[in-house]
């Protein structure tokens, strides 16, 4: 791990954020997580926090517990990060709550169905938007025999998240 992360420092994280997230002066990201793959938004959350940008997570109405427990765990295990993460859960059709979520956010990170991501992109005019819509994965196997461990790994990946994840 030390070798993998030796190049990760404040300068490189801010450079990554500026390239893929938003301006280094960003004060808040709104992150809209999909209900199908609860953990899909976690890397974007870590990226935001590591770049020093607080995040407010909007979990799906039926899956709010994961985001709330993640925020609580951060407060407990990393007290310096705890205050930088908030979590809410409401229906995406709740226009007033969506507007409140976006009101102070300068960057929107949205996961979900293509139509939902595009609708959020329209509402977030003037902001940096990172949208992650529907995805499909595929595996290509050659003619050579494949080890059982590789096939088992492919099966695990295909079945993860009820087959709705993109691994």
């Amino acid at each position: 791990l030390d070798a993998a992360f030796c190049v990760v420092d404040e300068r490189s994280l801010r450079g990554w954020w500026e390239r893929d997230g938003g301006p280094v002066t960003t004060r808040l990201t709104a992150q809209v997580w999909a209900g199908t793959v609860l953990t899909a938004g976690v890397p974007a959350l870590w990226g935001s926090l590591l770049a020093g940008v607080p995040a407010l997570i909007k979990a799906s109405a039926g899956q709010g517990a994961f985001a709330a427990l993640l925020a609580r765990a951060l407060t407990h295990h990393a007290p310096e990060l705890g205050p930088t993460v908030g979590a809410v859960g409401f229906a995406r059709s709740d226009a007033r709550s969506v507007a409140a979520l976006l009101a102070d956010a300068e960057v929107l990170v949205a996961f979900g169905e293509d139509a939902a991501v595009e609708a959020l992109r329209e509402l977030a005019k003037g902001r940096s938007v990172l949208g992650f819509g529907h995805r499909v994965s595929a595996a290509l196997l050659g003619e050579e025999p494949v080890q059982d461990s590789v096939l088992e790994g492919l099966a695990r990946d295909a079945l993860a998240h009820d087959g709705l994840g993109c691994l």
Side-chain angles (χ1 to χ4, degrees):
L1 285 176
D2 288 343
F5 288 101
C6 71
V7 296
V8 178
D9 57 13
E10 182 177 355
R11 186 172 151 259
S12 66
L13 286 171
R14 291 216 175 262
W16 165 81
W17 180 257
E18 191 169 48
R19 185 185 69 245
D20 293 337
V24 295
T25 57
T26 301
R27 294 183 320 263
L28 179 68
T29 64
Q31 302 206 4
V32 178
W33 289 6
T36 52
V37 184
L38 299 178
T39 58
V42 172
L45 173 65
W46 293 157
S48 180
L49 297 179
L50 289 171
V53 180
L56 180 57
I57 304 165
K58 184 264 183 230
S60 69
Q63 303 290 344
F66 175 74
L69 290 171
L70 181 60
R72 185 183 302 169
L74 272 172
T75 299
H76 179 74
H77 294 286
E80 68 281 5
L81 290 179
T84 67
V85 179
V88 295
F90 52 83
R92 65 180 165 190
S93 60
D94 183 346
R96 177 181 272 172
S97 294
V98 172
L101 173 74
L102 297 175
D104 293 323
E106 297 167 289
V107 173
L108 169 65
V109 181
F111 295 85
E113 300 168 350
D114 293 342
V117 171
E118 285 309 309
L120 286 166
R121 189 181 303 277
E122 286 298 315
L123 292 171
K125 290 275 190 214
R127 296 174 182 89
S128 176
V129 178
L130 303 171
F132 301 91
H134 180 74
R135 301 200 177 195
V136 176
S137 293
L140 179 64
L141 302 175
E143 294 179 14
E144 306 83 35
V146 178
Q147 296 178 355
D148 286 345
S149 61
V150 171
L151 294 174
E152 289 168 5
L154 282 171
R156 268 193 311 278
D157 286 352
L159 295 174
H161 311 295
D162 295 328
L164 298 174
C166 178
L167 305 172

